[in-house]
Amino acid sequence: MRGTDERSGKLFSYVDLEQRVPAGHPLRAIRGLVNEALRDIGPELEAVYSRIGRPSIAPEKLERTLLLQLFHGIRSERQMIERLDFDLSFRWFVGLGIDDPVWDASTFSKNRERLLYGEIATRFLSAILARPQVKRLLSNEHFSVDGTLIEAWCSMKSFRPKDEAEADEPPADGPEGRNREIDFRGTRRSNDTHASTTDPDARLYRKSPGASAKLCYMGHVLMENRNGLAVDAETTRVAGFAERLTAVAMLDDVDRAQGSRITLAADRAYDTRDFIDELRERRVTPHVAQNVSGRRSAIDGRTTRHPGYRASIRIRKRIEEVFGWVKSAAGQGKTRFRGLARVRFAFTLTIAAYNLVRLPKLLETG
C-alpha cells in the first residue's frame, strides 16, 4: 500500500536525543573519552575564566564543538554553528537540548580564544592518552617522529621588506580595495629581509629543491609504534633544524622508567651526526633511515644489523597516515588561523581528534 506524502502537524513532540543516536555509533565511545578528559583538565579550564560577570559558553561545549568540526572537516566555524542548529547528533554530542538555542558564530569564535591560554589543547591530548583504557594500547618503548608543513593563512603579496614604510606604499591598481599588482620576477626574498604583514610568525620555506617556496609553519608529531597513535604534537616556525630540535624536546617529555632504553624511528632528514649523538646520550636507539646520497650516514652496522631496526623503518611510515588525515579529512593543510599560538592550538587539537577517531575500533578489538 502506498504511503501518503503528508507531514503530521502535531503541536507537541517528545524527542529524546539519547534514543536518536544508535547504541553502536562511534560518537558514543568518543564522547565518553572526551568527557573524562575534560573532567581531568577542569582546573585548567576554570583558571581561564573570571568568577564574576555574565556566564559565557561552557568550555566543555566549546571543545566538543571544535572536535566535531574536525571530525567532519567543516571549513568554518560559521558553517559549524549552522550545522549544529539542525543536526540532532551534533546537539547530542555537544550537550545542547533539542530546544536550546545555538550561539552566534562571532560569539563562538570570541569565546574560543580563551582556550588558547594555558595550553588547553596540549593538556587535553595528554588527558586522552592518560585514560586507563587508552594507556594500555600505547607502546612505551618504540616511537617514530616526523614533521610536516602547514601552509599559513596569508598570501605571498604580504611578504614585504621589513624596513618598508607604509607611507611609501604606492596606490592600489584598479577598483578601490584591490591589492596592488606586484611583479616578483628577479626579486630576492628571504626571511632575514622580509616578513608577512598579515602573519609575522609565518616563514618562507621550500620543501625540496625545485619546489615553490611558501609561507608556512611546521607541525611535529611523536607517534608510538604499537597502534600508530600520536602521543605528542608541537608547532614551530619553519627552519632547517626545527625538526631535529623539536624531536629531542618531545623525547625529553616521554614518561619512561629511570635508565630504560627506547627506540626512535625517523626518515633520512634526521640522519645527522649531532642528532644521533644526542639520541644516544639520552639512551635512545636511533632507528633513523640512512642518508647515503653523496655523504656518509651517521647510522652504521651496529644499528642496522638488528631486526628491530628494519621493523621500525617499516612502521614509521604510518606517521604519514596522521598527517594525511590532519591535512585532508580535518582540513588543516592550510591553517585558518594567524599567529603561532593559534596555529599550535589548532594543530594539537587536530592530533587529539585523530586519536579519538581511531580509538573506538582499537578499544573494541582490544
Side-chain angles (χ1 to χ4, degrees), residues 2-259:
R2 181 171 182 253
T4 59
D5 185 21
E6 295 180 1
R7 181 173 64 90
S8 61
K10 294 181 180 179
L11 183 60
F12 300 103
S13 177
Y14 300 94
V15 178
D16 185 1
L17 292 181
E18 283 290 336
Q19 297 178 356
R20 295 290 181 177
V21 181
H25 199 287
L27 279 180
R28 284 194 175 274
I30 292 175
R31 192 174 191 271
L33 292 170
V34 170
N35 290 344
E36 292 176 8
L38 290 174
R39 282 195 295 270
D40 287 350
I41 64 172
E44 287 81 5
L45 294 174
E46 186 72 25
V48 299
Y49 285 84
S50 172
R51 296 184 178 274
I52 60 175
R54 285 190 309 176
S56 61
I57 302 174
E60 294 84 359
K61 293 180 179 179
L62 284 173
E63 195 85 9
R64 295 190 201 105
T65 304
L66 292 172
L67 288 172
L68 275 178
Q69 184 179 354
L70 295 171
F71 294 157
H72 295 271
I74 299 176
R75 293 180 299 172
S76 69
E77 291 173 357
R78 186 171 296 278
Q79 289 181 336
M80 178 64 212
I81 296 301
E82 291 176 358
R83 179 80 176 268
L84 185 60
D85 194 21
F86 64 81
D87 196 312
L88 296 184
S89 66
F90 276 37
R91 283 180 171 268
W92 169 82
F93 187 86
V94 171
L96 293 176
I98 190 79
D99 296 321
D100 292 340
V102 297
W103 319 289
D104 183 81
S106 58
T107 303
F108 178 84
S109 298
K110 186 174 182 180
N111 278 263
R112 183 253 303 149
E113 293 296 308
R114 297 176 183 268
L115 301 181
L116 296 175
Y117 304 100
E119 299 291 336
I120 298 299
T122 301
R123 294 182 182 274
F124 178 73
L125 173 60
S126 300
I128 291 291
L129 298 173
R131 309 315 310 156
Q133 63 271 40
V134 177
K135 198 169 184 178
R136 63 183 178 83
L137 298 173
L138 307 178
S139 170
N140 58 1
E141 297 177 345
H142 307 291
F143 300 90
S144 296
V145 69
D146 203 357
T148 188
L149 296 181
I150 306 170
E151 190 175 348
W153 190 257
C154 54
S155 71
M156 291 298 295
K157 287 186 178 181
S158 70
F159 198 59
R160 310 286 295 280
K162 294 180 180 179
D163 57 354
E164 185 179 54
E166 293 294 333
D168 298 336
E169 189 173 312
D173 299 324
E176 183 179 356
R178 177 183 173 184
N179 292 334
R180 66 189 180 94
E181 298 292 337
I182 302 177
D183 184 9
F184 297 119
R185 188 182 299 274
T187 303
R188 290 185 61 86
R189 293 178 295 170
S190 70
N191 293 316
D192 295 332
T193 59
H194 290 62
S196 172
T197 57
T198 53
D199 189 356
D201 287 336
R203 294 289 185 271
L204 194 66
Y205 194 77
R206 188 191 309 274
K207 185 176 182 180
S208 59
S212 60
K214 295 182 179 180
L215 290 167
C216 51
Y217 293 89
M218 184 167 284
H220 312 265
V221 167
L222 182 67
M223 180 192 76
E224 57 84 30
N225 288 356
R226 179 179 297 169
N227 287 298
L229 294 174
V231 296
D232 200 358
E234 185 54 85
T235 307
T236 63
R237 298 180 180 90
V238 292
F241 49 81
E243 285 184 295
R244 297 186 290 274
L245 289 179
T246 308
V248 171
M250 290 192 293
L251 281 175
D252 290 340
D253 293 334
V254 171
D255 185 16
R256 55 172 169 158
Q258 183 70 24

